[in-house]
């Protein structure tokens, strides 16, 4: 594992004087793992929509994210709004905020849900959908090419942006009522 959230977790562990143990979960499992005590904190682009706020607590935001869409370069789409069509098949990851964005802002599109990002991206490159709406930073790493025979990238892709797309605030998630940890994390980050 690597990236911003992993670096933050290591720094928090260092500041607390504890060893960090990573537990890989799907997007849909992040909140249940906190609520059931299987994880102490959740990082990883965790936004705070109203449904999650009812179940877990959040720290102050640690970063922002904006939505975009990943599609193949030969597709005719020029912006996110072009995806709002009955002819469009969106590929989304279950339990992520882009699913709700797509349902609200692209209601005509058909949505197929996958349990994880590797399967969703693979489905896009296999032609099982037209686009993936997700965070610009995440999509950026796939604006390279994919070869289905070698399971490597070689098809040209493009990212669709839209100034009206929402900006979300990523926070650290913690179990409800753990005010001491929440206060410490807010101070540390």
């Amino acid at each position: 594992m690597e990236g911003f959230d992993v670096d933050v977790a290591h720094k928090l562990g260092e500041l607390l004087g504890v060893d960090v143990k990573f537990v890989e979960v799907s997007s849909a499992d992040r909140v249940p793992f906190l609520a059931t005590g299987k994880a102490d904190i959740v990082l990883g682009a965790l936004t705070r929509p109203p449904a999650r706020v009812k179940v877990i607590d959040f720290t102050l935001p640690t970063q922002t994210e904006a939505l975009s869409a990943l599609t193949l370069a030969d597709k005719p789409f020029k912006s996110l709004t072009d995806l709002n069509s009955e002819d469009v098949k969106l590929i989304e990851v279950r339990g992520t905020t882009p699913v709700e964005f797509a349902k609200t802002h692209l209601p005509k599109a058909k949505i197929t849900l996958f349990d994880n990002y590797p399967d969703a991206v693979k489905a896009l490159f296999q032609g099982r959908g037209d686009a993936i709406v997700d965070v610009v930073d995440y999509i950026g790493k796939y604006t390279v090419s994919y070869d289905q025979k070698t399971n490597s990238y070689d098809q040209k892709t493009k990212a669709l942006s839209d100034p009206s797309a929402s900006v979300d605030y990523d926070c650290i998630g913690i179990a409800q009522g753990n005010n001491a940890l929440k206060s410490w994390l807010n101070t540390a980050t």
Side-chain angles (χ1 to χ4, degrees):
M1 292 183 158
E2 60 184 40
F4 175 77
D5 291 311
V6 172
D7 293 344
V8 169
H10 282 297
K11 186 63 177 178
L12 292 173
E14 178 187 319
L15 291 170
L16 274 172
V18 298
D19 291 328
V20 175
K21 179 182 174 194
F22 290 97
V23 179
E24 288 190 57
V25 297
S26 68
S27 293
D29 287 335
R30 294 178 295 178
V31 172
F33 267 59
L34 283 174
T36 60
K38 293 180 181 176
D40 296 312
I41 67 172
V42 169
L43 294 142
L46 187 66
T47 56
R48 52 182 184 183
R52 288 183 185 158
V53 172
K54 294 176 183 176
V55 183
I56 63 172
D57 286 339
F58 293 89
T59 64
L60 296 171
T62 56
Q63 66 184 31
T64 60
E65 61 182 43
L67 295 181
S68 183
L70 178 70
T71 188
L72 299 180
D74 61 357
K75 296 286 183 179
F77 315 118
K78 300 203 181 315
S79 73
L80 284 174
T81 56
D82 293 340
L83 300 175
N84 192 26
S85 168
E86 293 173 358
D87 298 329
V88 171
K89 295 179 197 167
L90 295 177
I91 297 167
E92 300 299 330
V93 176
R94 189 180 327 277
T96 62
T97 51
V99 173
E100 291 308 313
F101 175 87
K103 287 178 181 177
T104 302
H105 299 284
L106 309 169
K108 294 179 183 175
K110 295 173 187 76
I111 299 174
T112 302
L113 297 175
F114 288 84
D115 290 328
N116 57 61
Y117 283 102
D119 288 346
V121 171
K122 185 175 181 180
L124 175 70
F125 288 119
Q126 290 173 338
R128 295 192 282 160
D130 297 303
I132 299 172
V133 174
D134 213 287
V135 178
V136 171
D137 296 342
Y138 177 75
I139 287 172
K141 77 179 191 180
Y142 291 104
T143 54
V144 293
S145 309
Y146 183 79
D147 180 308
Q148 295 172 359
K149 292 177 185 169
T150 63
N151 217 18
S152 61
Y153 297 101
D154 88 341
Q155 291 181 25
K156 299 290 183 196
T157 60
K158 62 183 174 183
L160 308 175
S161 61
D162 193 322
S164 65
S166 66
V167 173
D168 291 319
Y169 297 90
D170 294 338
C171 306
I172 299 173
I174 56 176
Q176 274 190 339
N178 193 342
N179 294 328
L181 180 57
K182 180 178 175 179
S183 178
W184 185 89
L185 288 168
N186 281 334
T187 302
T189 55

